[in-house]
Amino acid sequence: ALTDLARRELKHNTQQRESPSQMGLPGVPEALAIQLPPAISIPAGAEGDDEGVIYKPLVQATLAELEAHLTLLSTQIAADTHRHRALKELRDLALAAGATSDSGVLRTIGATESTLAEVE
């Protein structure tokens, strides 16, 4: 519980910074430093931690930890892309079934399926 609390606190505190350039990253161009996150998430196991991810300030990260973070981000991006495509398809099905902006998506699609079953 204390580890989770410390993780959340570190993540929360590093997100409150106005600009990552405040981290003082010597040798990093300011245009890049502005885009960098103040902390990275490292998957469990990268530092012997056996639960979730750990958050580490970028200024303390090793190359291996940065690689682990990039792998985690790639996995998340791929999953988000798949979810995005599936949700767009669901939206399109709902629109084709006659959904309006305040219609229940699954209810509208389900009603269409029921109607089609009755017709056949």
Side-chain angles (χ1 to χ4, degrees):
L2 289 176
T3 302
D4 288 340
L5 179 62
R7 247 186 235 139
R8 280 192 301 273
E9 193 61 31
L10 175 61
K11 185 177 181 183
H12 178 71
N13 284 338
T14 56
Q15 287 176 342
Q16 287 183 345
R17 292 185 182 162
E18 290 180 17
S19 168
S21 63
Q22 294 175 353
M23 294 186 297
L25 300 172
V28 177
E30 186 176 339
L32 176 59
I34 290 170
Q35 298 177 51
L36 294 173
I40 61 172
S41 50
I42 304 165
E47 281 197 356
D49 189 16
D50 60 347
E51 52 183 66
V53 296
I54 60 169
Y55 296 94
K56 187 169 195 176
L58 185 59
V59 296
Q60 298 173 4
T62 65
L63 183 59
E65 291 167 337
L66 183 58
E67 289 288 346
H69 177 71
L70 289 170
T71 300
L72 180 66
L73 281 179
S74 293
T75 302
Q76 290 172 342
I77 289 167
D80 285 346
T81 300
H82 292 295
R83 278 191 294 273
H84 182 261
R85 284 185 190 137
L87 288 169
K88 281 176 57 177
E89 188 172 333
L90 182 66
R91 180 208 51 206
D92 293 346
L93 285 171
L95 287 171
T100 62
S101 59
D102 33 326
S103 298
V105 173
L106 297 177
R107 186 173 305 139
T108 302
I109 294 170
T112 302
E113 290 292 319
S114 297
T115 303
L116 288 175
E118 290 174 9
V119 171
E120 293 175 353

